[in-house]
Amino acid sequence: MVELANLQKFFLAHLQGQSTSIKQYVTKEKPGLAIYANAYHQRLREALDGDYPCLGLLLGDEQFNQLVSDYITCHPSSDPSLRWFGQHLTAFIRKQAHYQSMPIVAELAEWEWRLRLAFDAAGSEIAAIDHVQQLTADQWPTLQFELVPSLQTVSWQTNVVAVWQALEQQQAPPAIIEEPTDWIIWRKGLVTNFRSIHGDERTALTLTLQGHHFASLCEHLCQWHEPEAVTTRVVQLLQQWLSDELIKQVIS
Amino acid sequence: MKKVFHGFGLGLRKDYYSEILATQPAVDWFEIISENYFVDGGKPLYFLDAIREQYPIAMHGVSLSIGSTDPLNKLYLKKLKSLADRINPIFISDHLCWTGVGGINSHDLLPLPYTEASIKHVVERIHYVQDFLERQILVENLSSYVTFAESDMAEWDFVSEVVERADCLLLLDINNIYVSARNHQFDPIDYLKGVPAQRVMQHHLAGHSDYGEYIIDTHDAPVVDPVWQLYKVAAELFGPVSTMIERDDNMPVFSELLAELNYARTIAEPIYTQQQTSVVLPTAGRYHFASPTMAMSVQEQHNG
Ligand SMILES: [Fe+2]
């Protein structure tokens, strides 16, 4: 007799490729144990293939398969849903000495993962443009803007988005170059959106997320704009955010 | 105990979301993989809510891990319950298996040794889950590829003991019986005759990959003839049981699944009609779970 807990530990360790005494507890080890071991790896592999299709194209089969095998060994799934199995891949890549000279690899992984996050992020109500237009001048300085929960901002060192777009369309990617850029990703209705943003918009979004009001946004954006132009720029950003459905609610 | 017959259903898979909403096919209910909807928003929940407005939904889980020696995952149970609160499912089911241990999920349905110790362990946990969810759950029999040396009873005796002692219901997967019968050389009819008929609440039908010496349960092909034959025997033994086709890979056009489901109807309905001529059977049209009079009650049967 073997304790059920031990039997399960041996069985799972066998699936993970470790050598255990499981064979003495099954009457017919072939092909049964191999079927389970194959299925274990295949299922996890398929999950990563689905989450990181362009990373696979960038690296090619051999390198991607090696990365996937190493990841499966180091980060076995702990979530009830395969949806979250790939969540540590970017951090895992960043730790590999092999990839440190190729920042695009981690950036592409992170980009694909963030798009995945936006896909099933929480939805919310959307602030109506009409509502903002009805506000009086004295309300504006203290207005705060709550942004939608699917919004993410991210900074890249490479032209990763151009590379991703080409790979996604099964085209040859452009040459990889160093190209610092800022981006936002969010979901508009059911559709995942992204666009690049300038430094002033990035700052405005960061401050907005921290709860800064309209007057404070104008003050901080003076590092980019002349004082007489800054209000116009902030209003322009807010109009853009409203039409992008980035603002959940305007708090007056 | 009363069995409720909900008719003939299909697995709800993302490939068919738009088509289902656009064409409103004559399917009586859909079954979801519960964990696929443990998300905060976006397409999965949007389509689930929209389809739920028009069809009853059954919740089928793959990570309850009722047979694991890890503690039950309370956060998982909470998510399951809140999804159930959202869609008011006709069934909540999972597998009579373990999926992981030591905090690791294999995402596979792993078998248990068929012993008294396993029965006690699983029964206690099913009691906990049913108390938590405040309803009975259905447990499903597996396809399996190994036999444990310490198993000292037939699989159907193990399954029967568990469902009787836990006072839960049985989701009998006819294809899994066929697969395991071939892999472990038993007579599938013994299995059907060996389980408590009054607890059989749902059937799965599916295709598999036959490698001659063994079969793998792949859900990527049509149901094979020997499985239809077994389904016929099941209809004779159990009477009206809500039945669905599981297809998870190599997805065909939706009409192909509908045709397969209608084939299940043509096998089972004449048998049901013969058994209880007084009961009005559902026709090809859909009926709504929300209206209790539309669901058919079937008295206990003790054919098993
Ligand atoms: Fe099944």
Side-chain angles (χ1 to χ4, degrees), chain A residues 12 23 28 32 63 82 99 128 131 144 173 202 209 227 230 245:
Chain A
L12 183 65
K23 288 177 185 172
K28 205 182 70 176
Q63 272 204 85
L82 271 174
Y99 289 117
H131 168 71
Q144 286 173 296
R202 163 124 210 178
L209 285 166
V230 76
E245 300 187 358

Side-chain angles (χ1 to χ4, degrees), chain B residues 66-166:
Chain B
I66 199 72
S68 174
T69 48
D70 274 0
L72 280 163
N73 182 337
K74 305 287 159 52
L75 182 62
Y76 174 85
L77 289 175
K78 274 187 196 150
K79 287 181 183 173
L80 200 63
K81 193 169 189 191
S82 75
L83 186 63
D85 289 343
R86 182 182 190 116
I87 63 172
N88 187 19
I90 49 174
F91 306 127
I92 299 180
S93 64
D94 205 297
H95 303 81
L96 187 46
C97 74
W98 61 287
T99 59
V101 72
I104 294 172
N105 192 344
S106 75
H107 298 283
D108 202 352
L109 310 170
L110 305 172
L112 288 158
Y114 307 138
T115 63
E116 175 62 26
S118 298
I119 294 170
K120 280 200 178 113
H121 177 68
V122 172
V123 164
E124 193 184 311
R125 287 162 65 99
I126 295 175
H127 279 310
Y128 183 92
V129 171
Q130 294 189 139
D131 287 348
F132 184 88
L133 296 174
E134 300 175 280
R135 62 188 286 163
Q136 278 182 305
I137 61 168
L138 284 66
V139 293
E140 178 181 355
N141 59 302
L142 303 184
S143 283
S144 68
Y145 313 105
V146 291
T147 304
F148 291 108
E150 61 178 319
S151 288
D152 55 13
M153 62 186 88
E155 183 187 334
W156 53 91
D157 290 331
F158 175 74
V159 170
S160 303
E161 276 302 305
V162 167
V163 296
E164 289 287 6
R165 287 199 223 168

Side-chain angles (χ1 to χ4, degrees), chain A residues 1 101 104 108 113-114 130 149 167 174-175 178-179 201 222 232 240:
Chain A
M1 282 291 278
S101 59
I104 190 153
L108 182 58
W113 185 256
R114 284 182 178 275
D130 300 1
L167 291 170
E178 205 174 304
E179 187 182 67
E201 185 170 11
C222 282
T232 311
Q240 180 69 51

Side-chain angles (χ1 to χ4, degrees), chain A residues 190-250:
Chain A
L190 295 176
V191 180
T192 300
N193 279 244
F194 59 86
R195 64 174 171 84
S196 65
I197 53 174
H198 290 297
D200 63 339
E201 185 170 11
R202 163 124 210 178
T203 299
L205 284 167
T206 306
L207 294 170
T208 301
L209 285 166
Q210 289 166 359
H212 287 251
H213 51 55
F214 180 80
S216 177
L217 298 182
C218 293
E219 209 173 292
H220 282 85
L221 261 61
C222 282
Q223 56 176 303
W224 277 275
H225 307 283
E226 294 303 322
E228 58 274 15
V230 76
T231 309
T232 311
R233 173 58 176 159
V234 174
V235 168
Q236 185 194 23
L237 286 175
L238 289 172
Q239 280 170 339
Q240 180 69 51
W241 296 354
L242 284 164
S243 74
D244 281 343
E245 300 187 358
L246 281 173
I247 301 180
K248 179 180 171 184
Q249 66 169 324
V250 178

Side-chain angles (χ1 to χ4, degrees), chain A residues 35, chain B residues 143 145 179 183 207-211 214-219:
Chain A
I35 291 173
Chain B
S143 283
Y145 313 105
V179 169
N183 286 347
H208 55 243
S209 300
D210 194 332
Y211 296 96
Y214 58 93
I215 301 184
I216 301 184
D217 179 36
T218 42
H219 294 189

Side-chain angles (χ1 to χ4, degrees), chain B residues 31 60 95 109 140-143 171-176 202-206 217 219 244 246 248:
Chain B
E31 184 187 83
H60 185 53
H95 303 81
L109 310 170
E140 178 181 355
N141 59 302
L142 303 184
S143 283
L171 193 181
L172 204 57
D173 185 315
I174 305 293
N175 175 62
N176 286 351
Q202 190 189 337
H203 285 314
H204 277 170
L205 294 166
D217 179 36
H219 294 189
M244 63 160 273
E246 280 187 303
D248 294 302

